[in-house]
């Protein structure tokens, strides 16, 4: 009977409160958020259209995966955030909260895995250019895509399971703009040690393994580049990696800062955590298409053709 009562506690809806302490400014905060989200949606959509006929190339296939994952990441959180900014605290059902939680963390881990796959693509292109098409065949690319997607699912799905088993017998008010694993788990009236340690250690280890493999790839790339005979060849080789390196830095630096501050920054104000978390799900998806559009000539030319078709003649 006790177990029945506990499991019944998590059937109610939660209320997302927004950013504590900044309630009176949320309407104004929504303006840049809305504009940045619009840039993310439009920019990534244009980028997808620009790569439509280039998906057979491994780099563009992985980039299209990154674009779709970024759209999932921002669309999972931002519309609900904007509704809170405009209309005040919003209710979200328990299944809806779990769904949002899953796609938020899944898209984050998948983003990291895609960046690792893109680093491997650049490694093969620069270090083994003559074997590029034989190593990265369409079948191999599909296997990599399925593998990293399944890995991300396996890393994050237990978080949903661990939250689903918790009884919520106290407040159902979440002082945030969206549902995230530890924030929801802390509302439970039960021991959440497994949530804290799994939610911190396993996803972090998955991301750190990606970072290590990316670092190894770029160390080998740099060794190969510095053995090239001419300065022009070295600049061209490094130029093909420029946009990827920018996206890597923009993704991992704030990610690790947010994770470590959330876990160990007990003196950091909650308002800062929430504002930073909201910026993180919207700014990288908005900047990624700009970076690739500016630094990748093939994409830049295609975007110009899509936006200004008459100028291409």
């Amino acid at each position: 009977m006790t177990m029945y009562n506990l499991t019944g506690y998590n059937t109610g809806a939660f209320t997302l409160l927004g950013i504590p302490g900044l309630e009176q400014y949320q309407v104004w905060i929504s303006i840049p958020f809305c504009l940045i989200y619009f840039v993310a949606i439009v920019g990534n959509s244009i980028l997808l259209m620009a790569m439509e006929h280039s998906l057979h190339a491994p780099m563009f296939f992985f980039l299209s995966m990154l674009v779709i994952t970024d759209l999932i990441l921002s669309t999972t959180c931002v519309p609900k955030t904007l509704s809170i900014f405009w209309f005040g605290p919003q209710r979200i059902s328990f299944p809806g909260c779990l769904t949002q939680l899953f796609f938020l963390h899944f898209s984050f881990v998948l983003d990291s895995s895609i960046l690792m796959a893109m680093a491997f693509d650049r490694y093969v292109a620069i270090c083994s250019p003559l074997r590029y098409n034989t190593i990265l065949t369409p079948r191999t690319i599909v296997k990599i895509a399925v593998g990293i997607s399944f890995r991300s699912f396996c890393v994050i799905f237990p978080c949903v399971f661990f939250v689903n088993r918790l009884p919520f017998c106290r407040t159902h008010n979440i002082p945030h703009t969206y549902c995230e694993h530890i924030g929801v788990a802390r509302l439970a009236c039960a021991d959440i040690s497994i949530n804290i340690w799994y939610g911190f250690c396993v996803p972090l280890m998955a991301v750190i393994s990606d970072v290590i493999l990316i670092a190894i790839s770029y160390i080998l790339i740099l060794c190969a580049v510095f053995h090239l005979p001419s300065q022009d060849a070295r600049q061209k080789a490094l130029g093909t990696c420029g946009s990827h390196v920018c996206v890597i830095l923009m993704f991992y630096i704030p990610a690790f800062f947010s994770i470590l501050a959330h876990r160990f920054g007990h003196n950091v104000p909650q308002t800062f955590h929430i504002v930073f978390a909201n910026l993180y799900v919207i700014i990288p998806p908005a900047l990624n298409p700009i970076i690739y559009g500016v630094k990748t000539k093939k994409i830049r030319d295609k975007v110009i053709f899509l936006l200004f078709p008459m100028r291409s003649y």
Side-chain angles (χ1 to χ4, degrees), residues 110-219:
L110 184 56
D111 257 344
S112 178
S113 301
I114 294 169
L115 291 175
M116 176 190 65
M118 295 174 76
F120 176 69
D121 168 78
R122 292 298 84 204
Y123 161 74
V124 176
I126 293 174
C127 298
S128 302
L130 299 180
R131 300 175 57 207
Y132 182 78
N133 291 326
T134 57
I135 294 175
L136 290 175
T137 62
R139 187 173 181 178
T140 302
I141 296 168
V142 171
K143 286 182 178 180
I144 293 173
V146 172
I148 61 178
S149 300
F150 182 70
R151 169 186 179 251
S152 302
F153 176 86
C154 291
V155 167
I156 296 304
F157 184 76
C159 294
V160 178
F161 173 77
F162 292 144
V163 171
N164 188 53
R165 71 180 180 85
L166 292 173
F168 296 93
C169 52
R170 293 196 293 264
T171 179
H172 280 209
N173 295 332
I174 303 176
H176 210 304
T177 56
Y178 54 77
C179 295
E180 54 92 19
H181 177 212
I182 301 301
V184 176
R186 283 179 174 154
L187 300 180
C189 48
D191 181 30
I192 61 168
S193 299
I194 188 171
N195 296 76
I196 292 174
W197 286 109
Y198 184 92
F200 177 71
C201 294
V202 177
L204 185 61
M205 290 303 103
V207 172
I208 287 177
S209 67
D210 293 339
V211 171
I212 291 171
L213 292 173
I214 290 171
I216 292 172
S217 296
Y218 272 96
I219 289 171

